[in-house]
Amino acid sequence: MKKLSIWFISILTIVLGFTSCDDVEEFETCPEVNINVENETGSAVYRFAAQLESIEDVRFTWSIDGEDVDTGNLNDLASQIFDYRFEPGTYTVCVKVASDECPIQVCTEIEVERDENDPCPDLFFESRQYERPMQYKFIADFKGIEEVSYGWFINGELVEDSAPDEDNYLIWNFDEPGRYEVCIKTETPDCPEGASYCKVIEVEEENNACPEVSFTKEMEPGTVGTYVFESIIEGTDEVSEIQWFVNDRLIENATDQEEGNRVLVYEFEPGEYKVCLKVFTADCPEGVIYCKEIAIGEGGCPETIFDVQPQDHEGVYKFIAEVQREDALYYWYINGQLAGDAGQYYFIYDFLLDQTGNVPGGPGEYEICLQIETSNCPREQSEKFCKTVVVEGSSVCPELFFEAEQDGDNPAYYFYPREFEGMANVTLEWSINGELVDSVSGAGDPFYYQFNPGTYEICLMIETPDCPEGIKYCKTLTVQ
């Protein structure tokens, strides 16, 4: 397997110099910061590690060409390591220490060149703490992801497969604290030796003395992008402090001072955000965190498109939405009737299956529509995107055959049809020289007919639900 090396940068012993003057402590010197860069030749995935002699409660901000892109988890030393997938080009990557005493920033310049002749995909995923301290979300993001199947591995064990038309993320609850290696791996016909990308994460133990915390979110009426978050704290009435964070940045202006910051009102610009609530109590002095991700769309509702894929069985189609929004709900309509389960980004429908209720089915022409609802796009404001599907009748018809047996020396014959599946439920139509002469149940007696001398064409015809256009079998008979 081609694999990006996994390295963790240890935090050096805290070395601080102090002088005392009027009981005011100052740093004699700020710690030195260095950036280590890791990259496999030909890959656009880079790993940066900040090395320094730490000061207490230090946090880092990483930037690319002057724009902040990652700050790590709250109060987590994992923010010292920053992974990123680039497009080819030249970039300046900087790390800034969030300290009033030592506002340090160190930068390094890189030249990114992706080997386009490498047949293996350049795998990459992001990792972040999700709603709980021991719950993580891993999001795969690499060129060609829509064409590649891959697997998620934790400490070498396959935990989930992912296909091109499935979710590109893994949400995982870790049962125990510890160090875990999380990888995505794939093999393709062009890359038979396989490719992989891995990260090591430190999962910290939850404090059982901490309360259960969460929050609700609602859009403020009459606004676009302004949300009201209200904390829910269970298990204690004694709260020491409540903090709100947006993308790991502490929101200093408390919205609800009288209630101890239990409510946050925040106006967002278009983009993706992580909102976190951190609660401190006497029994939980380090605090407990609960986070949610929200996406604020550019210009309101996102563009609604989907792909139509005929399946192996006749009349069965799969519809796949191409809108990548974490907070999206999906509503599928057939000829104006709601038919799909909200929340599913794909929808499979068998038009030839007997349907119930108001949902249509059977051969014919259908209008399939998709409507999306997001956090900043109410359903009633979202436009429908539609396509037309023409469903042909099934061509699964039985194979007809019959035997003719003369009735002694008489110019009369018995006609015995060969049995076929479902024969008892259909009507057999017998015709002679194109004229219908008898219709009998498939489970009835053989067809009997007395002829005059001559030549005749005898035909058997049937129609079934699976063979709506019918099928016919004929024989020519000469009667002396």
Side-chain angles (χ1 to χ4, degrees), residues 15-28:
V15 179
L16 299 175
F18 296 92
T19 60
S20 179
C21 179
D22 297 330
D23 296 327
V24 177
E25 295 182 342
E26 297 180 354
F27 290 98
E28 288 184 350

Side-chain angles (χ1 to χ4, degrees), residues 8 73 76-78 129 133-134 136 174 176-181 199-205:
F8 268 82
N73 293 318
D76 191 341
L77 295 179
Q129 226 174 45
M134 295 181 67
Y136 276 73
F174 291 93
E176 298 179 354
R179 176 175 291 189
Y180 295 87
E181 184 186 55
K199 290 182 180 181
V200 175
I201 64 168
E202 293 278 359
V203 178
E204 297 183 355
E205 185 173 9

Side-chain angles (χ1 to χ4, degrees), residues 378-399:
R379 182 178 171 186
E380 58 270 15
Q381 296 181 12
S382 176
E383 295 185 8
K384 290 182 181 179
F385 183 81
C386 303
K387 293 185 179 183
T388 299
V389 173
V390 178
V391 179
E392 303 291 345
S394 173
S395 60
V396 182
C397 297
E399 183 178 355

Side-chain angles (χ1 to χ4, degrees), residues 143-165:
K143 187 176 181 179
I145 190 173
E146 67 280 355
E147 301 172 355
V148 176
S149 296
Y150 51 93
W152 292 95
F153 293 78
I154 297 179
N155 286 352
E157 180 180 350
L158 177 65
V159 296
E160 186 171 305
D161 283 318
S162 184
D165 59 349

Side-chain angles (χ1 to χ4, degrees), residues 337-338 349 354-361:
Q337 298 291 334
L338 184 63
Y349 196 81
D354 289 338
Q355 307 294 338
T356 58
N358 296 323
V359 181

Side-chain angles (χ1 to χ4, degrees), residues 322-475:
E322 298 178 6
V323 178
Q324 300 298 322
R325 286 284 298 267
E326 292 289 336
D327 61 339
L329 294 177
Y330 302 86
Y331 297 89
W332 298 94
Y333 298 85
I334 299 179
N335 288 355
Q337 298 291 334
L338 184 63
D341 181 21
Q344 289 288 340
Y345 73 97
Y346 68 91
F347 175 48
I348 299 176
Y349 196 81
D350 187 347
F351 289 90
L352 297 181
L353 191 67
D354 289 338
Q355 307 294 338
T356 58
N358 296 323
V359 181
E365 185 173 290
Y366 295 89
E367 183 184 57
I368 314 301
C369 297
L370 170 62
Q371 188 178 33
I372 288 183
E373 179 179 8
T374 68
S375 57
N376 67 317
C377 176
R379 182 178 171 186
E380 58 270 15
Q381 296 181 12
S382 176
E383 295 185 8
K384 290 182 181 179
F385 183 81
C386 303
K387 293 185 179 183
T388 299
V389 173
V390 178
V391 179
E392 303 291 345
S394 173
S395 60
V396 182
C397 297
E399 183 178 355
L400 294 186
F401 184 79
F402 62 83
E403 295 283 0
E405 181 180 318
Q406 189 173 0
D407 181 14
D409 294 331
N410 297 319
Y413 283 77
Y414 291 96
F415 299 94
Y416 296 91
R418 185 170 62 187
E419 292 186 4
F420 55 87
E421 185 177 355
M423 181 175 178
N425 300 319
V426 301
T427 298
L428 307 182
E429 296 182 344
W430 296 93
S431 65
I432 300 176
N433 289 345
E435 181 180 348
L436 180 65
V437 295
D438 198 5
S439 295
V440 297
S441 168
D445 296 330
F447 171 52
Y448 181 82
Y449 196 84
Q450 186 165 346
F451 298 88
N452 292 319
T455 299
Y456 301 89
E457 183 185 52
I458 296 91
C459 294
L460 169 62
M461 298 170 290
I462 66 163
E463 293 182 5
T464 71
D466 293 331
C467 184
E469 296 181 1
I471 187 173
K472 179 167 63 173
Y473 175 78
C474 301
K475 278 187 176 182

